[in-house]
């Protein structure tokens, strides 16, 4: 029932004080099915003489605010279908109009068609993985230099960017740590900490002297790269420790 009401067409006809049609929507024209346009027609001319008394009662009820709802309604039998008409008076300044609302009553026993099934969602294509990095873009005093990834000892997060540490010093890189993790060779570069990626080629030892694991790197000053607790087991398997 709820579905039927939601999808039912409503015909609308607006009458002026002389009971002529001054406005009509397409649903009303379809329901009435007249061969000539409704616009400008007299309401009486739209009904046979035997029904005009009922039309007068309908219009009188529309102008009487105390009349029951049933008095402002009438049923019109058409070939193969029935139309329910509801009338309501509208006032604009000194002018009075009557709005007629037309509802087509379904045939007894008719079952409303269920809403059409929504088409299955189109699977979104997964974005193509970014290609592996052949060179690391770093910034030096001379501008952007393309560094061989094997020269990177470790990479450190720097906000949305990174700092690439090499044997010659530290350099700014415009790529994020997450992007570098996906584009660098995973057999060589390992995420040891949420803020660090280590190049295992330059890892000299794993030190736990202070109770925390850290890679000792083969670079000037023997820098230490922390290893987070959640990644220790993964690194042990990778390094056969």
């Amino acid at each position: 029932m709820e579905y039927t009401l939601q999808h039912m067409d409503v015909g609308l006809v607006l009458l002026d004080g002389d009971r002529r049609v001054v406005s009509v929507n397409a649903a009303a024209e379809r329901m009435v099915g007249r061969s000539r346009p409704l616009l400008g027609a007299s309401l009486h001319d739209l009904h046979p003489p035997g029904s005009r008394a009922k039309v007068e009662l309908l219009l009188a009820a529309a102008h009487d605010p105390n009349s029951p709802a049933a008095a402002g309604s009438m049923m019109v039998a058409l070939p193969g279908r029935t139309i329910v008409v509801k009338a309501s008076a509208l006032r604009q300044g000194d002018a009075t109009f009557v709005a007629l609302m037309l509802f087509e009553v379904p045939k007894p026993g008719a079952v409303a068609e269920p809403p059409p099934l929504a088409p299955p969602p189109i699977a979104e294509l997964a974005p193509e993985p970014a290609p592996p990095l052949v060179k690391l873009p770093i910034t030096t005093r001379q501008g952007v230099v393309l560094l061989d990834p094997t020269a990177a000892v470790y990479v450190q997060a720097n906000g949305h960017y990174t700092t690439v540490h090499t044997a010659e010093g530290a350099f700014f890189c415009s790529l994020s740590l997450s992007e570098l993790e996906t584009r660098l060779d995973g057999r060589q570069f390992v995420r040891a900490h949420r803020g660090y990626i280590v190049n295992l080629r330059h890892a000299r030892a794993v030190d736990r002297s202070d109770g925390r694991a850290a890679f000792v790197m083969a670079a000037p000053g023997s820098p230490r790269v922390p290893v987070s607790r959640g990644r220790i087991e993964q690194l042990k398997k990778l390094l056969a420790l």
Side-chain angles (χ1 to χ4, degrees):
M1 182 64 177
E2 181 180 355
Y3 170 78
T4 302
L5 292 174
Q6 288 176 346
H7 294 265
M8 181 183 291
D9 276 341
V10 178
L12 297 174
V13 178
L14 187 65
L15 306 175
D16 63 9
D18 296 326
R19 300 173 183 175
R20 290 190 174 275
V21 178
V22 295
S23 185
V24 61
N25 71 349
E29 291 185 327
R30 179 185 58 77
M31 291 179 189
V32 175
R34 291 186 58 82
S35 58
R36 64 184 179 89
L38 295 179
L39 197 63
S42 169
L43 184 62
H44 277 190
D45 293 341
L46 299 176
H47 294 83
S51 301
R52 291 175 183 174
K54 293 182 180 180
V55 173
E56 288 297 330
L57 291 175
L58 176 73
L59 296 178
H63 289 88
D64 182 1
N66 297 318
S67 64
S73 307
M74 66 178 291
M75 300 185 73
V76 179
L78 296 175
R81 54 205 173 93
T82 302
I83 304 295
V84 175
V85 181
K86 299 280 292 184
S88 179
L90 305 174
R91 292 178 177 80
Q92 183 177 7
D94 296 332
T96 301
F97 299 87
V98 174
L100 302 178
M101 291 172 286
L102 284 65
F103 304 91
E104 188 170 347
V105 180
K107 295 180 180 179
V111 179
E113 295 184 2
L117 295 176
I122 300 175
E124 295 184 1
L125 297 177
E128 295 184 3
L133 279 176
V134 179
K135 295 287 185 178
L136 272 174
I138 61 173
T139 302
T140 67
R141 293 180 180 179
Q142 290 75 35
V144 176
V145 174
L146 300 178
L147 180 73
D148 191 325
T150 58
V153 177
Y154 65 95
V155 183
Q156 182 178 4
N158 183 8
H160 296 292
Y161 309 105
T162 48
T163 299
V164 178
H165 295 264
T166 71
E168 285 73 33
F171 303 95
F172 172 82
C173 178
S174 60
L175 301 177
S176 68
L177 200 68
S178 297
E179 183 172 359
L180 290 178
E181 183 181 14
T182 59
R183 299 186 64 183
L184 290 171
D185 187 352
R187 298 168 299 178
Q188 178 180 345
F189 291 88
V190 177
R191 187 79 170 260
H193 187 275
R194 65 180 182 180
Y196 293 88
I197 293 176
V198 66
N199 186 349
L200 294 178
R201 291 181 180 272
H202 296 276
R204 187 174 64 189
V206 177
D207 182 24
R208 303 191 65 165
S209 58
D210 60 354
R212 297 181 180 179
F215 280 110
V216 180
M217 308 306 296
S222 300
R224 295 165 57 90
V225 177
V227 178
S228 63
R229 294 180 179 179
R231 300 179 186 270
I232 289 178
E233 293 303 319
Q234 177 187 359
L235 291 172
K236 281 184 178 180
K237 293 179 181 179
L238 184 63
L239 300 172
L241 296 176

